[in-house]
Amino acid sequence: MAIPTELTADALARVDDAGLASSTSARVSPWRTRLGSLPWPIVPFLIFCFVLEIVPVTILIRDSFRELGMGAFTLRNYAALAEPLYWHSLRNSVLLSAGTALLGAFWGALVAAAIVRERGRAQRWLMGLVATTSNFSGIPLALAFIAVLGASGFITLLVRTLFGFRLYPQNFTLYSWTGLTLVYLYFQIPLMVLLFLPAIARLKPQWQEAAAMLGASSWVFWRRVGLPVMAAPFTAALALLFANALGAYATAWGLSGGKLSLFTIQIAFEVNGDVSFDPGKASAMSLTLALLMAVSILVAQLLARRTQRWLV
Amino acid sequence: MVSLIPVAETALPGSRRSRRSTGAVLLRVALIAAALYLALPLLATVAFSLATVWSRTIVPEGFTFDWYNAAIADDRFWPTTIRTLQATTAAAIISPLLVVPALLMVHLRAPRWKPWLEFLSIVPWALPGVVLALAMIRAYISPFNVSRPGLLILTYVLLSLPFMFRSIDAALSAIDARTLSEAAQMLGAGWFDIGRRVLLPGIMPGLMSGILLIAALGAGEYALASLMAGSGWKTFPIYQAQAQSVDGRIASALAVIGLFYTLVVSLSLLFIAGRNQNRGGTAGLPIAANK
């Protein structure tokens, strides 16, 4: 066939729609034409998204502009974000997410590059480890780190027995920002590997051969070709890692039970707190978080689209 | 898999070789460090769950199955496990029923709807558990007092949309559903036969990986379960959290039970993805869920 399939598909769809529309409603109004041609198998999906996505988000937006989520119109709920309690938790969340995203992205990219070079059984074992650990998170992950780096964890005891060095309580504690960073890295690294592996596996060996034939050393190849091509998928993955950590709640809750103030934990406090529950403030915080997540996911999507041009 | 450095290893002069091998060493170190970093907490959890006492010496003082017996004998074990399996199964049935017909229609008849459906399917990525819980409580639980477990299951369906949509979409694109079904039609197949013999086998890998991701999601989801359903309908992760605040060793035994389940699910996913590299076996990733 000479005609590209997408063009045919589109053209056929238009013919389809026109045919259906003219048979049901003789082109009365554009709206009736639209309704007449509504493909019914997608209706349940649309209803579901309306009920569980659009309605709840709309209610959050409405509540965020009302006093206590039900009174008169106000902007005070958003102004409350400037209060130290909320502002610090937001700052903590952003810093922790950015830090673990950067560390996880660099480390994970190296791991992905190393896994691509492995073959056979070693590669299968490593992929198994990455796939399993990418699904290991939340409450049990916090526990696992307590078993390794807690006050009587394996590493803590090992360091004390071998080197006579006491980690706790002066030199290190797991229930700190450093500790939480280590725990977050545990789910950032496998995610980075899974996100970045397809991109780095498609880096065409022919490019490297061509570059070598033109006299480029592998350093020149990476600086001029490899890294520029990998920049977009790397940044896309970085943005997703940031969103991944920003929305996290159970892991930090399981580790510190709210002693480390993160934005998600503050929102959960608002939802759970029977006495001080202010739906207006909670909604404003929720929307702020959702907006930050949406922006980073959008960035990732746009960059991923750019990547597809290079790495087919 | 493609080797990154396919250029003849021996033919290059010394200086380049040594530079490349420093790169190789760096990759090797990063890989081994990461493997240890990822494996150690898993192994420690297993060891902790089997140890009699493990707080003074580097290796446990003895081994026992007592913590597993205690974890399973607890009154909360079976009810919470069954609830988690119920929620997972229900979500795994509802999600494909919404996504498969919609995507079939988009691929076969109405491609102009695709951008809209794609957008709607990705929105849940931007809504973390705590935000979704608040939204559902404000929209449905406090005004209408709807069934909390029912709403929790529907919210799990919502969380599954990004990866369910992507994996089935990828599978349908990979088999070129439209061309195949037209070809089948020309050969005289009815729609029933096309569905059963052409489309269903084609989307099977995508469908299976979507369902497995729901299985992984349901077994570890804590934020929504605790904030939405809470004390009235405790799921397995809530039992895990409660056990953890009482006894770390019983909690470790529960963590290992959950881990074993996750291991089976993850390896099945990997297996499907490996067998169907060109048929959309690799699904979208569950970002932010469960973390």
Side-chain angles (χ1 to χ4, degrees), chain B residues 97-130:
Chain B
L97 285 180
L98 292 171
V99 174
V100 172
L103 268 173
L104 276 178
M105 197 63 196
V106 162
H107 275 263
L108 298 178
R109 284 280 171 79
R112 69 197 171 95
W113 281 88
K114 190 165 177 196
W116 293 101
L117 299 194
E118 219 162 22
F119 174 75
L120 287 171
S121 77
I122 211 169
V123 168
W125 258 8
L127 302 171
V130 287

Side-chain angles (χ1 to χ4, degrees), chain A residues 190-199 233 236-238 240-241, chain B residues 285 287:
Chain A
L191 182 63
M192 182 64 189
V193 174
L194 291 178
L195 286 170
F196 201 59
L197 205 64
L238 186 70
L240 283 183
L241 257 57
Chain B
L285 300 143
I287 311 288

Side-chain angles (χ1 to χ4, degrees), chain B residues 239-264:
Chain B
Y239 172 38
Q240 280 187 309
Q242 288 179 338
Q244 194 158 318
S245 59
V246 178
D247 189 328
R249 291 165 303 188
I250 292 178
S252 301
L254 288 174
V256 173
I257 293 170
L259 247 169
F260 184 72
Y261 177 89
T262 309
L263 183 77
V264 172

